[in-house]
């Protein structure tokens, strides 16, 4: 009995260690905590044949790297634009395969929506995406747990240009970003079907204006590395 006890307790410890750890919800980041004057421009819903090349040209003109949250079903139709983004050093994140709103969906449905997009992006030469932007800004607790299990960080935003509503002019949106800018801010634009000349114009205006204020533009991935204290 005395001899078998260590073996028995070892088996119990082994059983506990082999159990999957409870799912931790994915972290949701709306702004990175940093003292550095950095901003991240993000573009959702692309790529689109009309707007993505114009946005890329505006960013490249000022040597700015940004983050694109890609819809997989759009990427398969315009693979050359994903390759162009990668060639230009842009950060690629996931925005789902079909832009599915992750509310009241089963873990299996969520996993498939997110995993298929990762496979599409990897097949086009992207590293495995680790950043996810929730369509419609929606992710319930099942979604956050599933995304956490899959190793994703969920990226929100702190400056919403609402460009998809097509109400704001380029000038209005550029001024909005200038006024709301603060270290670690994440700005949301759209380069998919809801993109517009106003979006492209705002990007062209705000980059030099914020550079004059001492801001640097970085990708979300780069900005996460500048976080100066751990989140609780
Ligand atoms: Zn979207």
């Amino acid at each position: 009995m005395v001899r078998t006890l260590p073996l028995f307790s070892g088996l119990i410890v082994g059983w506990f260690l082999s159990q999957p750890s409870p799912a931790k919800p994915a972290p949701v980041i709306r702004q990175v905590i940093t003292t550095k004057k950095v901003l991240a421009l993000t573009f959702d819903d692309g790529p689109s044949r009309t707007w993505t090349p114009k946005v890329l040209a505006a960013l490249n003109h000022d040597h700015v790297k940004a983050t694109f949250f890609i819809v997989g079903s759009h990427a398969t139709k315009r693979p050359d634009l994903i390759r162009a983004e990668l060639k230009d050093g842009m950060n690629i994140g996931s925005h789902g395969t079909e832009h599915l709103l992750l509310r009241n969906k089963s873990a299996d449905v969520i996993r498939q929506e997110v995993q298929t997009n990762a496979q599409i992006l990897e097949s086009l030469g992207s590293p495995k995406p680790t950043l996810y932007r929730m369509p419609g800004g929606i992710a319930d607790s099942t979604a956050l747990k599933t995304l956490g299990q899959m190793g994703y960080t969920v990226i929100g935003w702190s400056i919403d240009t609402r460009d998809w509503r097509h109400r704001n002019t380029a000038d209005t949106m550029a001024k909005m970003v200038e006024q709301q800018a603060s270290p670690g801010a994440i700005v949301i634009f759209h380069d998919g079907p809801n993109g517009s000349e106003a979006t492209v114009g705002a990007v062209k205006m705000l980059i030099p204006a914020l550079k004059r204020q001492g801001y640097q533009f970085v990708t979300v991935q780069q900005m996460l590395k500048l976080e100066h204290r751990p989140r609780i």
Side-chain angles (χ1 to χ4, degrees):
M1 187 63 194
V2 172
R3 281 184 164 207
T4 56
L5 192 60
L7 174 65
F8 183 61
S9 35
L11 286 174
I12 291 176
V13 170
W15 180 82
F16 271 112
L17 290 177
S18 69
Q19 294 308 295
S21 52
K24 267 197 185 164
V28 181
I29 296 187
R30 296 188 172 83
Q31 177 155 2
V32 170
I33 302 162
T34 178
T35 51
K36 293 199 184 338
K37 284 187 103 173
V38 286
L39 277 180
L41 300 182
T42 68
F43 298 88
D44 285 14
D45 299 349
S48 81
R49 186 67 63 207
T50 311
W51 306 115
T52 304
K54 291 187 179 192
V55 167
L56 277 178
L59 295 170
N60 287 333
H61 179 268
D62 285 316
H63 311 287
V64 165
K65 307 297 179 206
T67 305
F68 289 79
F69 289 101
I70 304 295
V71 173
S73 59
H74 295 169
T76 51
K77 285 183 204 140
R78 299 144 201 133
D80 54 311
L81 294 175
I82 300 293
R83 293 195 188 101
E85 288 170 350
L86 290 165
K87 184 174 86 40
D88 292 339
M90 303 299 166
N91 190 184
I92 300 280
S94 173
H95 200 38
T97 309
E98 300 291 345
H99 203 262
L100 195 69
L101 303 188
L102 300 192
R103 181 167 50 198
N104 301 327
K105 301 291 187 304
S106 72
D108 280 350
V109 167
I110 294 164
R111 211 169 283 122
Q112 184 163 355
E113 163 77 1
V114 178
Q115 209 152 324
T116 304
N117 195 23
Q119 285 160 357
I120 291 169
L121 294 173
E122 284 185 83
S123 76
L124 297 175
S126 167
K128 187 177 186 301
T130 56
L131 306 179
Y132 175 82
R133 161 82 43 82
M134 54 286 198
I138 293 163
D140 66 13
S141 64
T142 307
L144 291 180
K145 274 186 198 160
T146 309
L147 290 162
Q149 271 174 341
M150 296 173 81
Y152 280 88
T153 299
V154 173
I155 305 299
W157 55 85
S158 59
I159 303 178
D160 186 356
T161 61
R162 295 176 184 261
D163 59 337
W164 56 276
R165 287 190 174 180
H166 298 176
R167 287 182 191 159
N168 292 332
T169 63
D171 190 51
T172 315
M173 290 194 283
K175 287 213 169 69
M176 178 199 289
V177 178
E178 280 174 58
Q179 281 160 9
Q180 294 181 25
S182 63
I186 299 173
V187 187
I188 180 171
F189 281 109
H190 294 79
D191 71 320
N194 280 328
S196 67
E197 286 296 350
T199 299
V200 180
V203 171
K204 285 181 184 170
M205 280 182 217
L206 71 87
I207 291 173
L210 282 160
K211 279 187 173 176
R212 279 195 295 277
Q213 288 185 31
Y215 277 97
Q216 278 183 311
F217 291 89
V218 293
T219 66
V220 172
Q221 202 88 57
Q222 290 168 333
M223 205 155 77
L224 289 173
K225 292 188 186 138
L226 299 173
E227 192 156 53
H228 75 80
R229 67 180 164 85
R231 280 162 196 275
I232 298 163

